Amino acid sequence: LPEVAHYWLIAAGLTVGAAIGLVAARRVKMTAMPQMVAVFNGLGGGASVLVAVFEYRRLAPEAGALGGDVLGAALFSALIGAITFSGSLVAFAKLQELLPGRPLVFPGQQALNAVLLAAALAAGIAAGVAEQTVWCYVLVLVALALGVLFVLPIGGADMPVVIAFLNAFSGLSAVGAGFVLSNTALIIGGTLVGASGTLLT
C-alpha cells in the first residue's frame, strides 16, 4: 500500500510476535491450555480495539470522512474487542488461580452491568454523532469494565464455555476491524472464528 511508510516495522512486529508465540506455545503445559487460549482471545480483542480506535482517530477530524458503515464497524469493534480483552484477562486469572475460581458476585451486579451496557451504547452513539475521539475512549473504558464484571460471576467449571464465547467475540471484533480497514482476509477469518466460537459455546 502506498500509504505504508515503514514496512520494516510490520516485519519487526511479526518477528517479535512470532517468537513470543512460539516460546509460549512450546512451554505451556497441556493442562494450562485453557489459560493460553484465553490470553490469545484477549490479544485478538485488544488488537481489534487498537485498530478501531486509531482508525477512528485518523479519520474523525475530517468532516464526513467516516462513512456510516465504517463508523459503525469501528465502534462495534471497539466495544466487542474491549469486552473480549478484559474478560479474557479475568478468565486467565481465574484459571491460573490468580483470582478465586468461585463465582465472585455482589448485590446489584446485574443492574450495574445493565447500566454499563447502556453507558457504552450511549458513548458509541455520541462518538458516531459528534465524531469526537473522547467518546471513543469512553466507550472503550466502559466496555473494559463491562468485560471484567461479565466474567467475575462465572465459576471455574463453566470457564470453557466463557472462553468459547469470548473466542466468538474476538472473531466478531476482527470482522469489525476488517470492515474498517477494507481487509477481506480479516473479515473472512473473523467470521470463521466468530461462527466456530458460537457453535462451541
Side-chain angles (χ1 to χ4, degrees), residues 48-57 59 66-82 124 127 136 139-140 173 175-181:
S48 296
V49 171
L50 291 176
V51 169
V53 170
F54 278 96
E55 282 300 293
Y56 182 95
R57 280 187 58 190
L59 297 173
L66 281 170
D69 54 346
V70 174
L71 181 60
L75 296 175
F76 174 81
S77 184
L79 172 65
I80 300 298
C136 193
L139 169 65
V140 170
S173 63
V175 171
F179 276 109
V180 171
L181 297 173

Side-chain angles (χ1 to χ4, degrees), residues 72-169:
L75 296 175
F76 174 81
S77 184
L79 172 65
I80 300 298
I83 292 173
T84 304
F85 178 74
S86 60
S88 296
L89 292 183
V90 174
F92 168 81
K94 278 177 167 274
L95 290 169
Q96 197 67 21
E97 298 181 350
L98 300 175
L99 287 175
R102 68 181 187 280
L104 300 174
V105 296
F106 55 85
Q109 191 168 18
Q110 291 183 351
L112 179 58
N113 286 347
V115 170
L116 287 175
L117 179 58
L121 294 176
I125 293 171
V129 173
E131 293 192 9
Q132 293 178 349
T133 309
V134 63
W135 290 113
C136 193
Y137 292 149
V138 171
L139 169 65
V140 170
L141 289 175
V142 174
L144 288 172
L146 188 58
V148 172
L149 293 176
F150 170 73
V151 179
L152 278 179
I154 299 172
D158 295 320
M159 205 51 68
V161 180
V162 176
I163 291 174
F165 185 75
L166 292 170
N167 181 245
F169 263 34

